Amino acid sequence: MPDELHHLPLIHQVLEHERHKPGALLPILHAIQNGLGYVPDTAVPEIAHALNLSLAEVRGVISFYHDFRTTPPARHTLRLCQAESCRSRGAEALAAQVREQLGVDDHGTTADGALSLRPVYCLGACACSPALELDGKLHARLTPERLRELVAGCMTEVTA
Amino acid sequence: MKLFISCDSLARAVGADDLVEALLGEAERRQVKLDIQRTSSRGLYWLEPLVEIDSEQGRLGFGPIDSADAASLLDALASADCQHPQALGLVEDIPYLKSQQRLLFARAGITRPTSLDDYRANGGFEGLAKAALMPTEQVVTEVLDSGLRGRGGAAFPAGIKWRTVREAQATQKYIVCNADEGDSGTFADRMLMEGDPFLLIEGMLIAGLAVGASMGYIYVRSEYPDAIAALNEAIIIAREAGYLDSTGSGVAFDLEVRVGAGAYICGEETALLESLEGKRGIVRAKPPLPALEGLFGLPTLVHNVLTLASVPIIMARGAQYYRDFGMGRSLGTLPFQLAGNVRQGGLVERAFGLTLRELVEGYGGGTASGRPLKAAQVGGPLGAWVPPEHFDTPLDYEAFAAIGAMLGHGGVVVADHTLNLAGMARFAMQFCAEESCGKCTPCRIGSTRGIEVVDRIIASTDAGEREDHANLLRDLCDTMQYGSLCAMGGMTAYPVASALKHFPADFGLATQEAAQ
């Protein structure tokens, strides 16, 4: 575990800013994750103390929601839609292709830490399925070739 | 030269930004002055990126335009007759659009999303102006009389909720907008929030006025970053213009956007309230109704985006105008969303009552793959798979309930013959297992058992054994439907049971009659 104490200033800043909001826990977790890329373990007691919650309550919320992560993210995050609309246009085959190309399973990260693969259930791009989101950017009318290109782009950039 | 190109996230996902860049570059080379206005999307997504230009008759359209076509498009626009292979003529005359009845999406593709001037110049805030002059009781009566029902899926009469919250006694009440549009095949909420955020703000303002709430929250799923940004920007503009107030002086209503965190269950209203309170999204037992004990235990009006956004038009034009659209008890319009394996995917706002066939074959133009149509899932991942023999059913809440399906939020996912519905039944169970909040047993455990039973049906080589497992699956669907606490477990039975009933061959089962 890397030394996470250097994250404390940002965590305190977020808490100072957000703690007085009604129902502040989700906005706090989002703000920390936006700033650091994940919610480090050191944040948990700080949040619990600021909101007068137990550690279990804070951890329970972090683990309940798919978005919150407790480890640093890969350089790139690929979220491939696996919901009905995209499935009707071949999303399962696309998922198999990308798993093979990367050699990782869903929720997995490549060994070099370049890219992590996450399934997502609907990006609201259903009129032009299949769709994916790469580092926050939406791509629709996806073809196997385009997907291969996007993934390859992430991999070469890191090794370069 | 002034062009209009959408800034909708899906238009951008298919190349609208690249096109704008290419056009600007090409115009600079030609030393032509080019003004590109980024508007909302018309919802004719198969034509995106769509470029529009003013003419004497109205806006002319060109689409879909690839960024490689930038030069040829500028050539065409500079010529007298605007000839281009992708020319569509007058946009308003495209049959797909012309035949629609756009009340909610009247400004779609026309205005810039966060321009208050555009909004006001196109009917914006007329509803609020009228509502502000009425006694609050009459505002509630208008909503009741309009016949508006909750657009999130449950279709509960909106006015009754309004009356309940209005009559509740409390020092603080809330308006909560459920913008956690997690259903696959639906994107109307996203389009509206990204493209016309002031409409949602106006609807929430009127609701706040009518029921006596001073604070509103819009809970948006994190998968919609553009909608979140548009709403946040619009809220700041509305505050500066004096429509909203965070200081507690002047108008007594303010709004805040809250962002979800990837939990489908938070689209269920009580789980959403828990999440807003900063907790895990665990479903609450009802009663107490959220209208009486909602957010932080206080009276709360919870509505879907489209429900709240319908209110300004009801106030501006009157309840009678609104209820003249639709059929039976399904009044007004519903923005249907055509998605999946469909040639012309997009948004179709029509009064209730057109048939599923008109929607899928007429508007959709059949499958994108060109292969025969197999089924359409109506109403999101918890909706039934409807076989073509039921496609003449009118799109009406009651008519769909009568065939064991539901309209839900109006999303329609089309599938061709290559999609195996046993696989989709398994997926429905898997999705439920992944997204269940875990509070009630039928949903939490039933979904996992469901995956196993579907797997056993698919793997079994013995026909009699497959029938036994199928009966077990039917039983399980029954238990989940009637025993679950909320629609998550309760309606997972719909896609599974409908697949089993209408497409037994996909499970290796004998035909329907023999199976029963």
Side-chain angles (χ1 to χ4, degrees), chain B residues 104 148-158 161 176-184 186-189 264 266-269 272 302-310 322 333-335 337 352 378-383 397 406-411 487-488 491:
Chain B
L104 273 165
L148 177 67
R149 292 163 73 179
R151 295 286 187 248
F156 187 79
K161 267 195 201 175
V176 169
C177 174
N178 181 345
D180 195 55
E181 184 180 51
D183 290 352
S184 168
T186 63
F187 47 84
D189 292 357
Y264 176 77
C266 290
E268 197 282 335
E269 63 173 355
L272 186 153
V302 188
H303 274 311
N304 170 259
V305 175
L306 301 181
T307 318
L308 288 162
S310 297
Y322 191 77
T333 60
L334 187 66
Q337 300 126 79
F352 290 93
V378 183
L382 308 180
Y397 292 121
M406 63 132 187
L407 271 194
H409 190 51
M488 172 92 238
M491 296 184 62

Side-chain angles (χ1 to χ4, degrees), chain B residues 420-445:
Chain B
N420 181 293
L421 291 192
M424 294 312 289
R426 185 190 193 280
F427 174 69
M429 286 293 189
Q430 184 198 334
F431 183 70
C432 182
E434 208 151 310
E435 297 297 330
S436 172
C437 82
K439 182 157 178 167
C440 72
T441 318
C443 178
R444 182 184 68 243
I445 295 178

Side-chain angles (χ1 to χ4, degrees), chain A residues 21-23 25-27 30 60-61 64-68 79 82-85 87-89 107 120-129 133 138-141, chain B residues 10 13 45-46 48 184-185 187 190 221-222 224 256 258-262 275-281 296 339-341 368 377 381 414 424 427 431 434-435:
Chain A
K21 274 187 180 170
L25 186 48
L26 261 72
H30 274 303
V61 168
F64 181 86
Y65 293 96
H66 299 306
D67 279 3
F68 299 127
R79 303 208 293 174
Q82 291 293 300
E84 286 83 352
S85 178
R87 275 177 181 247
S88 78
R89 309 276 345 244
H107 300 285
V120 63
Y121 299 102
C122 197
L123 296 163
C126 323
C128 302
S129 288
E133 189 199 80
L138 191 62
H139 300 262
R141 288 183 197 148
Chain B
L10 184 47
Y45 281 114
W46 86 99
E48 292 285 4
S184 168
F187 47 84
R190 177 187 64 70
R221 62 199 297 253
S222 60
Y224 287 175
E256 190 181 324
R258 285 288 173 95
V259 181
S275 184
L276 267 179
E277 291 182 7
K279 301 172 191 159
R280 293 186 294 154
F296 302 114
N341 197 334
Q377 187 180 31
V414 179
M424 294 312 289
F427 174 69
F431 183 70
E434 208 151 310
E435 297 297 330

